[in-house]
Amino acid sequence: QVQLVESGGGLVQAGGSLRLSCAASGRTFSTYAMGWFRQAPGKEREFVAVTTWSGSNTYYLDSVKGRFTVSRDNAKSTVYLQMNSLKPDDTAVYYCVARTDPIAPHHKRESYRYWGQGTQVTVSS
């Protein structure tokens, strides 16, 4: 199995920045891609960003393009989400995710086998 642990969430003012980290452990060699979903109050979880371990492919939710950057450190089995120009609408619990299937759709919840516990990001106006 794979375990995912997120960190870096917190409270920030609109326009500020945060960097989330996700450290993977266990059978990390089995993962094909890692990334992030989020769930805002009263809403369903939605795809935010993902990166593959090889091929340098990245995918983003349209509303975060140009503001968020997903990156990886293969040696540490760690994925990051750099969030700049944060908006109140970014307030959510952010979940680290990992999938083993190389052909599963990147934006679907059911594509990801492993999920972290979530870290709260709150953006004040």
Side-chain angles (χ1 to χ4, degrees):
Q1 71 279 356
V2 175
Q3 295 81 43
L4 305 174
V5 179
E6 306 101 328
S7 62
L11 175 64
V12 65
Q13 295 183 72
S17 299
L18 286 173
R19 189 174 80 153
L20 306 183
S21 299
C22 175
S25 61
R27 299 175 65 87
T28 58
F29 57 85
S30 68
T31 62
Y32 174 75
M34 292 179 62
W36 301 87
F37 277 66
R38 68 185 183 186
Q39 186 167 20
K43 298 182 179 180
E44 294 186 356
R45 280 174 286 176
E46 66 178 350
F47 166 79
V48 178
V50 69
T51 184
T52 59
W53 289 113
S54 62
S56 300
N57 297 122
T58 58
Y59 305 91
Y60 293 94
L61 176 68
D62 284 346
S63 64
V64 308
K65 288 180 179 177
R67 299 189 297 120
F68 291 11
T69 302
V70 63
S71 61
R72 62 181 184 254
D73 184 333
N74 293 50
K76 296 181 178 180
S77 296
T78 299
V79 171
Y80 305 94
L81 186 67
Q82 178 66 46
M83 304 185 293
N84 298 326
S85 301
L86 282 162
K87 304 175 181 179
D89 285 349
D90 296 318
T91 295
V93 176
Y94 284 71
Y95 295 91
C96 181
V97 299
R99 74 173 194 256
T100 59
D101 190 339
I103 63 172
H106 65 269
H107 63 286
K108 292 185 177 294
R109 290 173 55 188
E110 57 266 33
S111 297
Y112 296 88
R113 185 173 183 176
Y114 302 103
W115 293 73
Q117 81 286 352
T119 186
Q120 177 71 47
V121 172
T122 302
V123 184
S124 62
S125 60

